[in-house]
Amino acid sequence: MYFCKLGFVGASVLLGCWAVVQASPASLGAQYENLLAAEAAPSDNYASIQDRTAPTQSCNSRTSSQETTFTNPSYPNAQTTAVGACSMTVSAGSNTCQLRLDLSEFSLAQPDGEGVCATSYLTVTGNPTVPRICGENAGQHLYVDVTSGTNVVLDVISQSANEKWSIKVTQIPCNSANRAPTGCLQYFTTTSGTISSFNYDSSTTTGGNHLSGQSYGVCIKGQSGYCSITYSQPLGSGFSLTFNPSAQAPNLPPLPLVNGNCTTDYIIIPGATITDSSNIAGSPSTADRFCGLAFPGATSSIQPFNLNFVSNAAENTDGDVDNKGFQLDYTLNRCT
């Protein structure tokens, strides 16, 4: 005999059938339960999870789904008026240890002059390690550690018109190979990619200041046969931390700063060897802190591969005016 079930993908109707060995009624019932359990079992493959269509929720909602998309009420359109407080509660499963938040679309008000998300922002209630996020962040992602069986609340405070967001929330099982290491707000799993600070605007070298009061880790998954990692500044991208760009003489190239010159906003790369120190005072060969108006390139063999971003609580007050933040390419290097 056969067991069949109807399913829906968009506007299409799919019919799936499985052969079931003829047996006693009790045995048939057990086979039926096993088929349902297999269908509902969470996948350990993040790519396959991403391919599934997620149910969509908006304000004042609750979900226990393995995957859900949280949007503004007018999505895919931006709001014509301010929404105010908009939240979604995620009930973590009994084997869930993390949530991955993919900011597929994310456009909220810019931070104030001090880099504070004061008007509109995203928070994750109950997890103080997740900083407030505002501004333009489409394509960014976050990993949030959770306790199995508890609730986590995503809160968007939207106090301006023309704002929109679409956040895919995926529950990561405790035993998943896709689980990010502890302390990693962001986690990259490919051998090359691009890392940007929140509210980094790649369309201009000057717009979109970085957020203040940040302190988080970005981790890159190690791969067999790769022994070091190189970070570089993409051609044409902006980089500015702990400095006022207008204070530099116009006839000089953008100057990188390292180590003790980086005191308020900076990137930490453990055990880094500098690629090009020609524009750095003293031409040091190594550093672990980087800031200024350019990134000189750096390679590190310390594993696990990671960098940390730190910004203090004020920008204009301490003279760090119009700091764009950073965008860096990374590449894992094969062992030699």
Side-chain angles (χ1 to χ4, degrees):
M1 64 179 295
Y2 290 87
F3 164 70
C4 296
K5 184 178 180 181
L6 284 173
F8 297 87
V9 178
S12 301
V13 180
L14 301 179
L15 177 64
C17 295
W18 299 265
V20 179
V21 178
Q22 183 67 44
S24 66
S27 177
L28 287 174
Q31 291 183 52
Y32 175 81
E33 293 297 329
N34 289 338
L35 286 168
L36 291 180
E39 184 187 39
S43 171
D44 194 48
N45 185 302
Y46 184 71
S48 68
I49 292 174
Q50 292 298 293
D51 289 339
R52 291 202 289 269
T53 301
T56 299
Q57 303 280 2
S58 192
C59 304
N60 304 316
S61 61
R62 178 181 292 270
T63 181
S64 58
S65 297
Q66 182 181 335
E67 189 179 81
T68 307
T69 300
F70 176 42
T71 69
N72 59 290
S74 297
Y75 189 82
N77 299 316
Q79 298 300 128
T80 57
T81 59
V83 174
C86 182
S87 67
M88 182 181 74
T89 300
V90 181
S91 298
S94 60
N95 188 40
T96 295
C97 283
Q98 280 183 340
L99 302 180
R100 174 173 165 130
L101 312 184
D102 284 282
L103 311 186
S104 304
E105 293 194 62
F106 191 98
S107 180
L108 299 181
Q110 287 291 308
D112 65 16
E114 298 290 359
V116 176
C117 294
T119 303
S120 300
Y121 47 85
L122 165 70
T123 63
V124 181
T125 302
N127 195 314
T129 62
V130 180
R132 281 189 180 186
I133 305 297
C134 64
E136 301 296 328
N137 291 288
Q140 294 275 22
H141 73 272
L142 306 90
Y143 281 83
V144 181
D145 289 328
V146 300
T147 301
S148 301
T150 62
N151 293 330
V152 177
V153 182
L154 277 62
D155 280 307
V156 173
I157 305 301
S158 173
Q159 301 190 82
S160 299
N162 300 316
E163 296 185 327
K164 67 186 298 188
W165 64 89
S166 176
I167 305 171
K168 179 176 268 188
V169 181
T170 304
Q171 300 202 31
I172 306 295
C174 299
N175 57 350
S176 172
N178 300 305
R179 183 179 175 184
T182 301
C184 304
L185 185 68
Q186 295 190 307
Y187 185 43
F188 294 83
T189 60
T190 56
T191 57
S192 63
T194 301
I195 304 167
S196 303
S197 52
F198 292 111
N199 197 39
Y200 184 92
D201 186 355
S202 60
S203 65
T204 172
T205 58
T206 57
N209 294 344
H210 74 73
L211 310 180
S212 64
Q214 309 265 299
S215 180
Y216 63 86
V218 179
C219 303
I220 299 91
K221 185 176 182 178
Q223 309 281 351
S224 177
Y226 293 85
C227 289
S228 65
I229 185 169
T230 296
Y231 303 93
S232 60
Q233 182 178 340
L235 184 66
S237 69
F239 182 100
S240 53
L241 298 168
T242 312
F243 201 74
N244 183 347
S246 63
Q248 179 172 292
N251 59 330
L252 294 177
L255 297 179
L257 298 173
V258 298
N259 294 333
N261 291 313
C262 302
T263 58
T264 55
D265 309 321
Y266 48 87
I267 296 168
I268 299 175
I269 301 175
T273 299
I274 299 173
T275 303
D276 179 7
S277 60
S278 59
N279 289 323
I280 304 175
S283 300
S285 59
T286 62
D288 57 10
R289 288 192 182 191
F290 298 85
C291 63
L293 298 182
F295 182 74
T299 297
S300 175
S301 58
I302 293 180
Q303 297 194 44
F305 301 128
N306 68 84
L307 66 79
N308 289 270
F309 175 57
V310 176
S311 63
N312 68 346
E315 288 298 299
N316 285 343
T317 301
D318 59 21
D320 295 340
V321 180
D322 294 332
N323 276 191
K324 180 179 178 63
F326 68 91
Q327 182 179 71
L328 299 178
D329 288 340
Y330 76 85
T331 302
L332 298 189
N333 305 309
R334 289 192 176 276
C335 303
T336 57

